[in-house]
Amino acid sequence: MDFFKFLIDFVLHIDKHLITIVNMFGDWTYLILFIIIFIETGAVILPFLPGDSLLFAAAALSANSNYSLSIWIFILTFFAASAAGDSLNFFIGRKVGNALIEHHFFGKFIKEKDLKRAREFFNKYGAIAIFLARFMPIIRTFAPFVAAGTDFSYKKFLKYNLVACICWVLICCGAGYFFGNIPFVQAHFSLVIILIIIISLIPALVGYLKSKVSTQK
């Protein structure tokens, strides 16, 4: 429970926590954030780690000369982390998919409703779901896992995934770099992060509501 309290606090006050990390670890910050983004999708069982908000906040810090951070290194770091994480996720799904879901410990972290939502999303949009899922928290963690359970080839998955990762990183980092240091945004950073989370969840919510309506007809 304490971990989830810390996670919520980390997400809502991610700008302050990132400043602490930068002050403590300096250039090692790039590696630390690489690991967080890599695990967010690569580990399958940790879909609740920050993604969009982390990129936005990190890019905002890089635009502030006080922290001596490079936006280009962040862009390369986040692209490599997201692409590598998705590939690991795909291979986990291909090799040990059902075993992981049924495992007495790891299965606790993989909610059936999230997997079902990802499967429905994948079945509805097909290959393009790999691209779209990258912009949807939770679903992006399970999309590679679900794709691996079909006859989807890794080569085809990689093609859509690389394009998605490039677009995701450029949009999130670009928004943070150009808008993150606006005085209003800085003064209401937690609210902005909440709005980012809400906006990113809207497509999944709309899809869920549509599926509920269609099943009731």
Side-chain angles (χ1 to χ4, degrees), residues 17-31:
H17 288 289
L18 282 183
I19 290 173
T20 300
I21 291 173
V22 171
N23 289 334
M24 289 181 63
F25 300 102
D27 288 342
W28 287 100
T29 299
Y30 298 113
L31 178 60

Side-chain angles (χ1 to χ4, degrees), residues 18 22 26-31 33-34 54-79 169-170 173-174 176-177 181:
L18 282 183
V22 171
D27 288 342
W28 287 100
T29 299
Y30 298 113
L31 178 60
L33 300 192
F34 173 94
L54 180 60
L55 269 64
F56 182 90
L61 283 186
S62 71
N64 190 324
S65 59
N66 293 328
Y67 301 107
S68 302
L69 297 168
S70 170
I71 183 62
W72 295 111
I73 295 179
F74 271 137
I75 288 174
L76 292 174
T77 296
F78 292 139
F79 169 70
V169 171
L170 290 179
C173 285
Y177 188 82
N181 288 299

Side-chain angles (χ1 to χ4, degrees), residues 21-178:
I21 291 173
V22 171
N23 289 334
M24 289 181 63
F25 300 102
D27 288 342
W28 287 100
T29 299
Y30 298 113
L31 178 60
I32 293 171
L33 300 192
F34 173 94
I35 292 172
I36 293 175
I37 296 301
F38 177 78
I39 291 177
E40 188 218 1
T41 48
V44 184
I45 62 173
L46 298 172
F48 42 77
L49 290 178
D52 315 275
S53 56
L54 180 60
L55 269 64
F56 182 90
L61 283 186
S62 71
N64 190 324
S65 59
N66 293 328
Y67 301 107
S68 302
L69 297 168
S70 170
I71 183 62
W72 295 111
I73 295 179
F74 271 137
I75 288 174
L76 292 174
T77 296
F78 292 139
F79 169 70
S82 56
D86 283 339
S87 290
L88 174 62
N89 191 313
F90 184 91
F91 285 116
I92 289 175
R94 176 74 34 110
K95 298 296 182 181
V96 294
N98 290 331
L100 188 65
I101 296 172
E102 296 170 0
H103 192 276
H104 70 280
F105 176 74
F106 294 113
K108 296 177 182 178
F109 297 91
I110 304 175
K111 296 182 179 180
E112 182 58 36
K113 64 177 182 179
D114 293 332
L115 271 178
K116 181 181 179 182
R117 195 179 306 165
R119 290 192 189 101
E120 291 173 349
F121 186 76
F122 189 83
N123 291 333
K124 181 176 181 179
Y125 295 102
I128 196 64
I130 299 301
F131 178 87
L132 296 175
R134 171 41 61 182
F135 298 87
M136 302 167 68
I138 299 178
I139 286 182
R140 68 164 159 256
T141 300
F142 294 111
F145 190 83
V146 171
T150 67
D151 58 355
F152 216 71
S153 70
Y154 175 68
K155 183 177 180 181
K156 189 175 182 181
F157 166 81
L158 187 63
K159 178 176 67 174
Y160 284 92
N161 180 243
L162 290 179
V163 175
C165 289
I166 291 173
C167 293
W168 181 65
V169 171
L170 290 179
I171 290 173
C172 292
C173 285
Y177 188 82
F178 291 109

Side-chain angles (χ1 to χ4, degrees), residues 52 135-137 140 195-204:
D52 315 275
F135 298 87
M136 302 167 68
R140 68 164 159 256
L195 288 175
I196 290 174
I197 294 173
I198 292 174
I199 291 172
S200 62
L201 287 173
I202 287 176

